[in-house]
Amino acid sequence: MRYTFKIAGEMVSIAPRSLADELVLAIGDEDYAIAFDHERDGRCTLDINGKRFESWVARDGDDIFLKIDGQYIKVTAFDPRSLAAGSAEGEGSVRAPMPGVVIEVLVAEGDEVVEGAKLMTIESMKLQSTVTAACDGVVRSISVAAGSEFNKDDVLVEIEGHPSPSDA
């Protein structure tokens, strides 16, 4: 299974290759052997492919803040279900990954959002997940409200994407 993280502003796909004797992660097209020793005060010794780093780590919700070798890095973990819920078909059509009910709508029409921004919380089969924006843009319409039910593939939110500088 692949997981998606936003690391220092860049979306990165990571897949565990081995969890046996050592943790090996496929990050992009490269494999990295990772070992770490985490202390209660946030200090962490991190070993990446045999290179040792003294670091600090703190967590705030889905965000992980790292200080490695004097550099600060923000890492945001994305739940695979939320990415599926936020996947787009066409420009900015956020569709339901499964039938369910809306728990909470977190944006309003006219709001500017960035890719990965939380749009709403949904529940399906007693499991709550977050629907996220699939692109940067402006929320043009919201097809559901808190408490409303929806079917698989229903459009939940429409986002009008911002044109890239090369399109202008």
Side-chain angles (χ1 to χ4, degrees):
M1 175 171 224
R2 296 194 79 74
Y3 300 90
T4 302
F5 295 86
K6 191 173 204 175
I7 302 175
E10 182 179 337
M11 296 299 275
V12 177
S13 179
I14 298 176
R17 292 258 194 247
S18 170
L19 302 173
D21 295 329
E22 68 178 350
L23 174 63
V24 177
L25 299 176
I27 303 174
D29 295 331
E30 307 236 1
D31 285 355
Y32 296 89
I34 311 240
F36 59 91
D37 186 22
H38 191 249
E39 302 290 329
R40 287 181 181 236
D41 65 357
R43 286 183 297 152
C44 183
T45 303
L46 181 63
D47 187 293
I48 303 173
N49 287 343
K51 187 172 181 183
R52 195 173 193 83
F53 299 92
E54 293 300 318
S55 58
W56 284 263
V57 64
R59 187 174 189 141
D60 181 24
D62 291 337
D63 295 326
I64 302 163
F65 298 91
L66 302 167
K67 181 181 178 187
I68 301 175
D69 206 24
Q71 277 192 308
Y72 291 93
I73 301 168
K74 178 182 176 185
V75 177
T76 302
F78 291 92
D79 183 325
R81 295 169 306 205
S82 70
L83 286 176
S87 64
E89 180 179 294
E91 183 189 53
S93 295
V94 181
R95 295 186 176 272
M98 62 197 88
V101 64
V102 176
I103 301 300
E104 179 182 23
V105 178
L106 303 169
V107 294
E109 291 180 2
D111 285 357
E112 287 207 25
V113 295
V114 295
E115 180 179 335
K118 296 175 181 177
L119 303 174
M120 65 181 58
T121 303
I122 61 173
E123 183 175 296
S124 181
M125 298 184 298
K126 297 186 181 186
L127 178 67
Q128 287 191 5
S129 58
T130 303
V131 175
T132 60
C135 63
D136 294 354
V138 176
V139 176
R140 283 294 159 223
S141 66
I142 301 171
S143 306
V144 292
S148 63
E149 294 182 4
F150 53 85
N151 294 310
K152 181 179 178 359
D153 294 326
D154 282 356
V155 173
L156 303 175
V157 178
E158 287 283 343
I159 298 173
E160 182 178 308
H162 291 305
S164 67
S166 62
D167 293 340

